[in-house]
């Protein structure tokens, strides 16, 4: 994650990196991440915690541990680059059983919670106002309209079409049943 160069970033990461602050960056990644693959990212604020969680849309089982580690690490590095600081999460939550703890502790620099209900980075809500040293308003003025244009068809999928897709995925190779539907 630390060796990835900025020119290798996907479009949602570039939009985030050039945001004015950390809260805006997380919002941009959450908004545009679906343009880069079949995944969603949510940012939830509860009390003093901000939880960043990615869902792989077509996955029928938990994501592989290395994919989770790489995704969380890449997000943290992006936020550190943007903020120009050694920002660390409050904790990292992982679905899997305890594994790779020393390596993860060294990289993330925070407590780890295994067998959590989701894979997530949890930050103190105070970091949301952290300004980004990489902010580039001119680049965002050029970049965001085309991202919004590309995102429009994805957001306009009807509920009926989304339900059809989920039902088709869940019933692949099986006879339909009322219970399954």
């Amino acid at each position: 994650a630390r060796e990835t160069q900025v020119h290798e970033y996907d479009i949602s990461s570039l939009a985030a990196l050039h945001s004015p602050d950390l809260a805006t960056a997380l919002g941009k990644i959450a908004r545009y991440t679906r343009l880069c693959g079949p995944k969603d990212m949510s940012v939830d604020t509860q009390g003093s915690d901000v939880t960043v969680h990615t869902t792989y849309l077509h996955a029928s089982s938990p994501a592989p541990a290395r994919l989770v580690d790489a995704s969380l690490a890449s997000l943290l590095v992006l936020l550190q680059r943007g903020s120009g600081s050694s920002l660390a999460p409050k904790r990292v939550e992982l679905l899997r059983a305890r594994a790779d703890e020393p390596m993860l502790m060294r990289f993330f620099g925070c407590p780890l919670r295994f067998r959590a209900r989701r894979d997530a980075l949890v930050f103190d809500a105070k970091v949301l106002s952290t300004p980004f040293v990489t902010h580039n308003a001119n680049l965002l003025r050029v970049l965001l309209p085309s991202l919004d244009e590309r995102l429009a068809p994805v957001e306009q999928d009807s509920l009926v079409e989304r339900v059809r897709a989920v039902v088709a995925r869940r019933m692949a190779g099986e006879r339909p049943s009322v219970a399954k539907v």
Side-chain angles (χ1 to χ4, degrees), residues 169-177 180:
R169 231 181 8 260
R170 295 287 310 256
M171 295 182 150
E174 297 180 23
R175 289 186 58 97
S177 71
K180 191 81 167 182

mmCIF file of all heavy atoms in Angstrom, residues 169-177 180:
data_model
loop_
_atom_site.group_PDB
_atom_site.id
_atom_site.type_symbol
_atom_site.label_atom_id
_atom_site.label_comp_id
_atom_site.label_asym_id
_atom_site.label_seq_id
_atom_site.Cartn_x
_atom_site.Cartn_y
_atom_site.Cartn_z
ATOM 1 N N ARG A 169 -28.848 -14.045 -8.673
ATOM 2 C CA ARG A 169 -27.563 -14.455 -8.107
ATOM 3 C C ARG A 169 -27.741 -15.530 -7.041
ATOM 4 O O ARG A 169 -27.003 -16.500 -6.969
ATOM 5 C CB ARG A 169 -26.876 -13.225 -7.494
ATOM 6 C CG ARG A 169 -25.491 -13.033 -7.931
ATOM 7 C CD ARG A 169 -24.739 -11.861 -7.352
ATOM 8 N NE ARG A 169 -25.330 -11.102 -6.290
ATOM 9 C CZ ARG A 169 -25.952 -9.914 -6.438
ATOM 10 N NH1 ARG A 169 -26.081 -9.372 -7.620
ATOM 11 N NH2 ARG A 169 -26.434 -9.279 -5.405
ATOM 12 N N ARG A 170 -28.741 -15.350 -6.183
ATOM 13 C CA ARG A 170 -28.952 -16.281 -5.072
ATOM 14 C C ARG A 170 -29.493 -17.632 -5.549
ATOM 15 O O ARG A 170 -29.366 -18.630 -4.861
ATOM 16 C CB ARG A 170 -29.940 -15.687 -4.052
ATOM 17 C CG ARG A 170 -29.473 -14.444 -3.319
ATOM 18 C CD ARG A 170 -28.419 -14.737 -2.284
ATOM 19 N NE ARG A 170 -28.761 -15.791 -1.396
ATOM 20 C CZ ARG A 170 -29.167 -15.643 -0.157
ATOM 21 N NH1 ARG A 170 -29.285 -14.451 0.355
ATOM 22 N NH2 ARG A 170 -29.446 -16.696 0.591
ATOM 23 N N MET A 171 -30.138 -17.656 -6.712
ATOM 24 C CA MET A 171 -30.771 -18.881 -7.202
ATOM 25 C C MET A 171 -30.010 -19.528 -8.344
ATOM 26 O O MET A 171 -30.539 -20.418 -8.989
ATOM 27 C CB MET A 171 -32.205 -18.599 -7.647
ATOM 28 C CG MET A 171 -33.087 -18.188 -6.525
ATOM 29 S SD MET A 171 -34.722 -17.968 -7.178
ATOM 30 C CE MET A 171 -35.671 -18.387 -5.782
ATOM 31 N N ALA A 172 -28.830 -19.125 -8.587
ATOM 32 C CA ALA A 172 -28.069 -19.677 -9.700
ATOM 33 C C ALA A 172 -27.975 -21.200 -9.583
ATOM 34 O O ALA A 172 -27.518 -21.720 -8.582
ATOM 35 C CB ALA A 172 -26.669 -19.060 -9.735
ATOM 36 N N GLY A 173 -28.483 -21.885 -10.611
ATOM 37 C CA GLY A 173 -28.400 -23.339 -10.656
ATOM 38 C C GLY A 173 -29.409 -24.050 -9.781
ATOM 39 O O GLY A 173 -29.316 -25.253 -9.580
ATOM 40 N N GLU A 174 -30.385 -23.319 -9.213
ATOM 41 C CA GLU A 174 -31.378 -23.946 -8.341
ATOM 42 C C GLU A 174 -32.779 -23.701 -8.884
ATOM 43 O O GLU A 174 -33.004 -22.759 -9.643
ATOM 44 C CB GLU A 174 -31.313 -23.337 -6.939
ATOM 45 C CG GLU A 174 -30.009 -23.559 -6.226
ATOM 46 C CD GLU A 174 -30.023 -22.923 -4.841
ATOM 47 O OE1 GLU A 174 -31.104 -22.697 -4.273
ATOM 48 O OE2 GLU A 174 -28.933 -22.632 -4.338
ATOM 49 N N ARG A 175 -33.705 -24.534 -8.453
ATOM 50 C CA ARG A 175 -35.114 -24.308 -8.796
ATOM 51 C C ARG A 175 -35.635 -23.198 -7.885
ATOM 52 O O ARG A 175 -35.364 -23.193 -6.697
ATOM 53 C CB ARG A 175 -35.925 -25.567 -8.573
ATOM 54 C CG ARG A 175 -35.626 -26.644 -9.581
ATOM 55 C CD ARG A 175 -36.561 -27.811 -9.396
ATOM 56 N NE ARG A 175 -37.974 -27.387 -9.533
ATOM 57 C CZ ARG A 175 -38.683 -27.504 -10.640
ATOM 58 N NH1 ARG A 175 -38.135 -28.036 -11.709
ATOM 59 N NH2 ARG A 175 -39.953 -27.135 -10.675
ATOM 60 N N PRO A 176 -36.402 -22.268 -8.427
ATOM 61 C CA PRO A 176 -36.971 -21.210 -7.596
ATOM 62 C C PRO A 176 -37.924 -21.772 -6.554
ATOM 63 O O PRO A 176 -38.631 -22.751 -6.807
ATOM 64 C CB PRO A 176 -37.742 -20.331 -8.581
ATOM 65 C CG PRO A 176 -37.255 -20.719 -9.926
ATOM 66 C CD PRO A 176 -36.735 -22.111 -9.831
ATOM 67 N N SER A 177 -37.910 -21.181 -5.390
ATOM 68 C CA SER A 177 -38.859 -21.549 -4.349
ATOM 69 C C SER A 177 -39.290 -20.276 -3.629
ATOM 70 O O SER A 177 -38.538 -19.298 -3.582
ATOM 71 C CB SER A 177 -38.234 -22.528 -3.338
ATOM 72 O OG SER A 177 -37.276 -21.860 -2.556
ATOM 73 N N LYS A 180 -36.881 -19.346 -0.828
ATOM 74 C CA LYS A 180 -35.631 -18.762 -1.305
ATOM 75 C C LYS A 180 -35.838 -17.312 -1.739
ATOM 76 O O LYS A 180 -35.014 -16.445 -1.448
ATOM 77 C CB LYS A 180 -35.073 -19.596 -2.452
ATOM 78 C CG LYS A 180 -33.668 -19.239 -2.843
ATOM 79 C CD LYS A 180 -32.679 -19.888 -1.917
ATOM 80 C CE LYS A 180 -31.301 -19.777 -2.512
ATOM 81 N NZ LYS A 180 -30.304 -20.400 -1.721
#
